[in-house]
Amino acid sequence: MPLLLRILCLCLSGMLLRPAFASDSESPKINSYKIDITAPGDVSDLLKSYLDIYKWRSQKNLAVDELQAAVERTPQDVTSLLSTEGYFKPEVNARIAQEGDSYHVFVTVNPGPQVHVRKVDLRLTGAVNEDPVYRDALLARLKRKPPLAEGTVFTQSSWDLYKRATLNVLLSRRYAGARITESEALVSPDDAVVDLTLVLDSGPYYHYGDVNIKGMQRYPEKIVRDQVHLAPGAEYRRFELLNLQTNLQEMPQIGTAVVDAQLDNQPPYNAPIEIAVQEAPLQKLGLSAGYSTNTRYRGQLDYRYNNVADMGWVSTTKAVYEGLEQSFNTELAFPKQPDGYYHKIYFTGEHSIVQNLDTTTYKGGVSRTVNDRNIDRTLTLEYLSERRDAGDGNIDRPHSLSLNYQWIRRDLDNQRDPHKGTIWQVEGGGASGALLSTQTFIRLYSKGALYWPVGEEGIFIGRLEGGENFSRNPAEVPTDWLFRAGGSGSVRGYDYQSLGVKADDGTINPGRVLATSSIEYQHPVYKAWRGAVFADYGDAADTWQTWQGHTGVGVGARWISPVGSIGADVAYGVTDARWRFHFAMGLAF
């Protein structure tokens, strides 16, 4: 009998028996009692979780007769519970003793030997036997590290897992109608062994049938059908349906999507695919406001239209105004291609005044991106023109036609609030002075973060960042391809982008090299609030010979909001011997 069913029976038996005793007004009442249990640790923990004598300890005015009945029933209940863990011949003694005005329950359990698996008889019937090569490969896979194998301890949970895992292997490919036809665990308590028998009927070999799409009204059906790469007649594979469903749900035009196979029960045993979608709105307008000590107050307007030219192309326009930076961006994104890549073209205008450097940038380009599980890869061709004014009378006008490759790997337990995992980004690109660029350069850049749990509640966060631009004259390289550091998300304790190449008038120009690092420990203090301590170290400079590390240390608070972490930090910049406050928040409406 499965563990959950046995536990349910125990609970029901307690519920059914208890009222009869509770109605006995002659039975004396007790408000508390002690329990001593003598049993191995794992057995003791199991019994404390499910036995009535433990669950009833917090009840007031409990009838003594009622407790006596629960104690008398305990050996039977213990035996039922232990059988789910492979103990089929336990010795159990339970008694109750009165000690003055209180009562004391004593339970002694000798679980006996734990049953081990002596033999596993796994058999396959049905169409799978018509292909001996595939069947033998399937059986070899099923026998590779199974949840239960000969010589292992038998438990009800591992037996249930073994049956589910075995059936799922059959269901995942070709045999979508597979089922268990015989399942038996024959226990010999005297010998402490169990013989297992599992027979599965594969059912017929299924092939993909026609694809039927439901729910498309405001968008052309073609944008969904173009994502379907299930050739009629090809063998059924469940993971392909799951991947298709995931891809559809990531499309901006689709709110929800369900992909299912409808199995024919007559030859030629096709599996027509039914796709049911709920469409997203045609247009979306977004407004947001926020504040950051890096760029001051922020306001943002987003507009998205999901069906340009009735082709499912997505047009997005975004305008951002911040105290130190302003930008306007528009892009046109195209649906994902059969090879998994999707493309977009874009144009961006930006203006900023940071550390006395007045920069105006215009850029446009085309990008090609593919998402493979937790890895994103993007190739971008971009033309950029910039006006850079340091206020000294010299105005730089660099421009570049660059090609850049970006690789990002995310392996986190939670995207919004990670406790464990890593995220890593690597970039490489450059431009040629002979091709629409003022300077030939190569730029390499990488950053990564490690999240690691400490104890039961703490989180350690480590971050590394580094980059270098290989060029002769940085004045002829656009700022986007150079480096500055400082501020929230970089080296705290220093103003935003205040670490770089310092001019005589105090202007901070971007440099050709960058290296920063950070360590932080967070610990919960109240509900969604955490306290943090941290140390940052790094700098940006023109060369590695002039690079000087700057240290920042401090404490902070984190609020884990529904949209992510919002933080406030008080940091001390060791080089400047100054305290600075760093804060970032946002509110969408």
Side-chain angles (χ1 to χ4, degrees):
M1 183 184 295
L3 175 59
L4 289 178
L5 185 56
R6 292 178 183 271
I7 294 170
L8 179 60
C9 291
L10 290 176
C11 294
L12 289 175
S13 65
M15 293 171 61
L16 292 173
L17 287 171
R18 188 173 186 275
F21 291 101
S23 64
D24 185 0
S25 60
E26 299 301 324
S27 178
K29 307 294 183 182
I30 56 176
N31 290 323
S32 65
Y33 55 90
K34 297 179 182 179
I35 303 177
D36 280 341
I37 185 167
T38 303
D42 56 340
V43 171
S44 177
D45 292 341
L46 175 68
L47 301 182
K48 289 177 181 179
S49 298
Y50 296 109
L51 287 180
D52 287 344
I53 56 174
Y54 277 96
K55 291 188 292 183
W56 292 357
R57 280 188 304 173
S58 61
Q59 296 189 21
K60 303 297 183 182
N61 296 319
L62 185 68
V64 173
D65 287 351
E66 183 176 9
L67 178 60
Q68 178 68 47
V71 172
E72 293 174 356
R73 196 169 61 250
T74 294
Q76 178 183 349
D77 292 346
V78 169
T79 301
S80 296
L81 283 168
L82 292 184
S83 67
T84 65
E85 296 300 310
Y87 299 101
F88 286 89
K89 205 172 182 180
E91 296 176 0
V92 186
N93 179 268
R95 63 185 179 87
I96 184 173
Q98 185 173 1
E99 299 176 349
D101 295 334
S102 63
Y103 290 83
H104 203 149
V105 177
F106 298 90
V107 180
T108 304
V109 179
N110 177 10
Q114 204 167 14
V115 168
H116 287 69
V117 177
R118 179 170 61 184
K119 182 179 67 174
V120 179
D121 181 13
L122 174 63
R123 284 173 277 158
L124 301 179
T125 62
V128 67
N129 290 305
E130 298 173 5
D131 186 347
V133 175
Y134 181 81
R135 178 202 60 202
D136 294 344
L138 193 66
L139 287 171
R141 177 184 173 187
L142 291 171
K143 293 177 181 179
R144 192 180 306 128
K145 295 183 179 180
L148 275 179
E150 294 179 4
T152 61
V153 172
F154 172 85
T155 66
Q156 185 65 48
S157 59
S158 59
W159 176 225
D160 291 340
L161 177 61
Y162 179 77
K163 290 185 286 186
R164 288 197 305 270
T166 304
L167 180 61
N168 282 334
V169 170
L170 267 177
L171 291 171
S172 65
R173 184 175 175 185
R174 295 188 180 184
Y175 304 101
R179 60 191 179 91
I180 295 175
T181 56
E182 184 180 346
S183 169
E184 182 182 58
L186 188 59
V187 179
S188 176
D190 293 335
D191 298 326
V193 295
V194 60
D195 295 330
L196 304 177
T197 300
L198 183 63
V199 181
L200 297 94
D201 181 2
S202 71
Y205 182 155
Y206 280 98
H207 300 78
Y208 289 132
D210 295 331
V211 176
N212 182 31
I213 301 173
K214 297 180 179 180
M216 298 298 292
Q217 297 177 350
R218 63 170 62 102
Y219 299 108
E221 184 180 292
K222 182 178 184 297
I223 67 172
V224 171
R225 192 166 293 279
D226 284 349
Q227 304 305 310
V228 180
H229 312 299
L230 309 174
E235 69 175 19
Y236 167 91
R237 298 188 180 191
R238 185 168 57 183
F239 81 91
E240 292 181 332
L241 303 187
L242 297 175
N243 288 344
L244 173 59
Q245 180 170 291
T246 299
N247 291 339
L248 293 177
Q249 290 178 335
E250 291 176 350
M251 295 176 64
Q253 299 91 347
I254 305 300
T256 60
V258 177
V259 180
D260 195 17
Q262 308 297 316
L263 305 181
D264 292 344
N265 55 12
Q266 298 292 333
Y269 299 112
N270 288 325
I273 306 303
E274 184 172 290
I275 301 175
V277 302
Q278 182 177 355
E279 295 175 310
L282 188 65
Q283 305 176 73
K284 181 179 180 181
L285 179 66
L287 299 171
S288 64
Y291 178 81
S292 166
T293 49
N294 281 351
T295 55
R296 315 281 172 78
Y297 293 99
R298 173 188 177 94
Q300 179 173 314
L301 171 67
D302 298 90
Y303 174 74
R304 187 175 75 192
Y305 183 72
N306 289 331
N307 196 22
V308 175
D310 200 31
M311 297 288 288
W313 301 346
V314 179
S315 170
T316 303
T317 302
K318 179 170 66 175
V320 180
Y321 182 87
E322 298 175 283
L324 300 181
E325 298 176 345
Q326 303 84 44
S327 66
F328 176 84
N329 171 269
T330 183
E331 66 179 44
L332 184 64
F334 303 96
K336 184 183 293 186
Q337 295 183 325
D339 58 4
Y341 284 89
Y342 59 91
H343 302 82
K344 71 176 181 180
I345 56 177
Y346 63 91
F347 171 80
T348 300
E350 300 174 343
H351 176 257
S352 67
I353 302 178
V354 178
Q355 299 298 325
N356 298 326
L357 187 64
D358 189 327
T359 305
T360 301
T361 304
Y362 298 99
K363 55 187 175 183
V366 58
S367 66
R368 172 180 170 89
T369 301
V370 64
N371 308 114
D372 182 14
R373 296 183 181 178
N374 58 346
I375 296 177
D376 298 342
R377 299 190 296 271
T378 301
L379 184 66
T380 303
L381 178 66
E382 176 185 277
Y383 179 76
L384 184 154
S385 178
E386 180 179 83
R387 180 184 185 276
R388 192 163 61 208
D389 184 359
D392 57 1
N394 295 320
I395 298 177
D396 298 324
R397 298 182 182 274
H399 56 271
S400 64
L401 179 65
S402 62
L403 186 66
N404 190 65
Y405 178 78
Q406 181 186 78
W407 180 92
I408 301 176
R409 182 181 185 272
R410 300 177 180 87
D411 185 15
L412 302 172
D413 60 344
N414 186 294
Q415 297 292 331
R416 182 182 66 87
D417 180 26
H419 284 62
K420 184 178 181 180
T422 59
I423 180 169
W424 200 260
Q425 175 178 332
V426 177
E427 293 185 22
S432 171
L435 189 62
L436 299 177
S437 304
T438 50
Q439 175 80 202
T440 297
F441 66 85
I442 295 175
R443 178 183 181 270
L444 301 177
Y445 173 77
S446 181
K447 66 178 178 180
L450 166 69
Y451 295 83
W452 190 257
V454 179
E456 295 184 359
E457 299 180 315
I459 306 171
F460 169 83
I461 303 172
R463 180 183 58 81
L464 290 174
E465 179 185 35
E468 182 168 1
N469 183 292
F470 300 90
S471 59
R472 292 192 305 272
N473 183 6
E476 296 181 348
V477 178
T479 302
D480 278 11
W481 302 112
L482 299 171
F483 307 101
R484 286 186 288 187
S488 181
S490 181
V491 184
R492 288 163 287 190
Y494 302 87
D495 287 337
Y496 176 55
Q497 294 194 355
S498 64
L499 303 179
V501 182
K502 190 172 184 178
D504 294 337
D505 62 355
T507 300
I508 304 299
N509 292 296
R512 286 180 287 188
V513 298
L514 168 76
T516 69
S517 62
S518 175
I519 56 174
E520 178 170 313
Y521 174 74
Q522 297 180 5
H523 196 84
V525 292
Y526 178 71
K527 294 185 178 180
W529 287 90
R530 297 189 190 132
V533 293
F534 59 84
D536 299 340
Y537 182 75
D539 191 18
D542 189 47
T543 65
W544 291 116
Q545 289 73 26
T546 59
W547 185 93
Q548 297 178 346
H550 300 275
T551 302
V553 296
V555 297
R558 306 284 179 267
W559 176 48
I560 312 305
S561 76
V563 295
S565 177
I566 296 177
D569 296 312
V570 177
Y572 180 73
V574 176
T575 302
D576 295 347
R578 287 184 56 187
W579 289 93
R580 287 179 173 85
F581 179 67
H582 300 282
F583 177 74
M585 66 170 291
L587 175 64
F589 53 90

